[in-house]
Amino acid sequence: AQKVTQAQTEISVVEKEDVTLDCVYETRDTTYYLFWYKQPPSGELVFLIRRNSFDEQNEISGRYSWNFQKSTSSFNFTITASQVVDSAVYFCALSARTGANSKLTFGKGITLSVRP
Amino acid sequence: GAVVSQHPSWVICKSGTSVKIECRSLDFQATTMFWYRQFPKQSLMLMATSNEGSKATYEQGVEKDKFLINHASLTLSTLTVTSAHPEDSSFYICSARVIQAGTYEQYFGPGTRLTVT
């Protein structure tokens, strides 16, 4: 069975602060994908990143960075110099890497509020 | 890029009526489509998985006779909420999956907000 735990439920920061969103996962699959999605108030899911379980290199994309540590089954997401537009719900998700029946399992989401 | 549309984007219906939600992959053919339900301030919960031309596979606890899924073509899946009740009010999101360069890619629609009065 797969499980994604996002222990933080709500985070509030002031603009320009850095913020890290935590994600811990459980899976019996040896190969899998990890994802982060952003859901702004409009509701539409915005894909942010997919990480293959084979690839533990950290990734940076502009103000966003991701730290994948297989040893602790964590895939944390950091926003540097946060902005008001970053306010949204962020979901971490997991799926098996192969198999037509692989499904996405979502965490409960973290509501991030960035205050001006 | 791959685009998935949903129609309608929002709908209000009376208790006891049925509502149909469409999910279309606009520029690709989807091997599989998924339907999720999201209650306020909660996560996305998978309701069912459907493959074109075959019966949908429902997750445990989801009533297949209440949530009818039809996947008639590689670009269209529909979810019909039959005899809707206020507790069915929710945000319904579909996603379409396709194999690209040997990898499964899954794209989400913008969601449909259902309110049952």
Side-chain angles (χ1 to χ4, degrees):
Chain A
Q2 299 178 332
K3 186 177 179 181
V4 176
T5 301
Q6 295 180 264
Q8 304 151 310
T9 53
E10 295 185 12
I11 300 176
S12 181
V13 299
V14 176
E15 207 169 18
K16 298 184 183 177
E17 283 185 27
D18 298 346
V19 59
T20 295
L21 311 182
D22 298 333
C23 174
V24 174
Y25 63 92
E26 295 174 33
T27 181
R28 293 178 184 168
D29 295 311
T30 54
T31 57
Y32 49 90
Y33 286 122
L34 292 162
F35 302 79
W36 276 95
Y37 289 91
K38 174 182 180 180
Q39 188 177 42
S42 65
E44 184 162 2
L45 278 180
V46 177
F47 168 81
L48 296 178
I49 190 172
R50 179 178 66 195
R51 172 61 74 212
N52 188 319
S53 57
F54 289 165
D55 183 2
E56 286 194 69
Q57 281 193 348
N58 292 332
E59 182 156 340
I60 298 175
S61 176
R63 296 185 297 106
Y64 296 168
S65 62
W66 291 270
N67 182 283
F68 176 28
Q69 294 202 347
K70 236 173 167 178
S71 60
T72 56
S73 297
S74 65
F75 186 43
N76 296 338
F77 172 31
T78 297
I79 302 175
T80 303
S82 59
Q83 299 176 2
V84 173
V85 292
D86 296 327
S87 297
V89 180
Y90 290 86
F91 291 98
C92 180
L94 165 73
S95 78
R97 185 169 176 266
T98 58
N101 295 323
S102 63
K103 306 172 194 176
L104 268 175
T105 298
F106 286 87
K108 292 188 175 182
I110 302 170
T111 300
L112 174 64
S113 298
V114 182
R115 310 186 305 275
Chain B
V3 178
V4 176
S5 71
Q6 281 185 241
H7 179 80
S9 54
W10 61 269
V11 57
I12 302 173
C13 72
K14 292 189 175 180
S15 188
T17 61
S18 295
V19 173
K20 181 186 284 188
I21 302 170
E22 289 187 351
C23 176
R24 292 181 185 273
S25 54
L26 297 186
D27 48 3
F28 65 99
Q29 293 185 325
T31 52
T32 304
M33 288 189 172
F34 302 89
W35 286 96
Y36 296 85
R37 180 168 53 182
Q38 184 181 29
F39 291 111
K41 298 189 182 299
Q42 294 190 23
S43 187
L44 283 76
M45 298 303 296
L46 180 65
M47 298 175 67
T49 303
S50 75
N51 294 293
E52 182 262 340
S54 60
K55 288 184 179 179
T57 302
Y58 290 82
E59 295 298 300
Q60 193 171 5
V62 177
E63 300 173 59
K64 61 181 181 182
D65 294 330
K66 181 171 182 60
F67 298 99
L68 302 179
I69 293 173
N70 183 280
H71 194 161
S73 76
L74 287 172
T75 60
L76 173 64
S77 176
T78 59
L79 167 68
T80 301
V81 183
T82 62
S83 187
H85 290 286
E87 56 265 31
D88 299 322
S89 298
S90 187
F91 192 53
Y92 292 87
I93 304 172
C94 75
S95 73
R97 187 170 70 184
V98 63
I99 298 176
Q100 293 176 337
T103 301
Y104 286 107
E105 301 287 349
Q106 190 166 339
Y107 301 97
F108 286 85
T112 296
R113 199 163 300 279
L114 170 64
T115 302
V116 184
T117 62

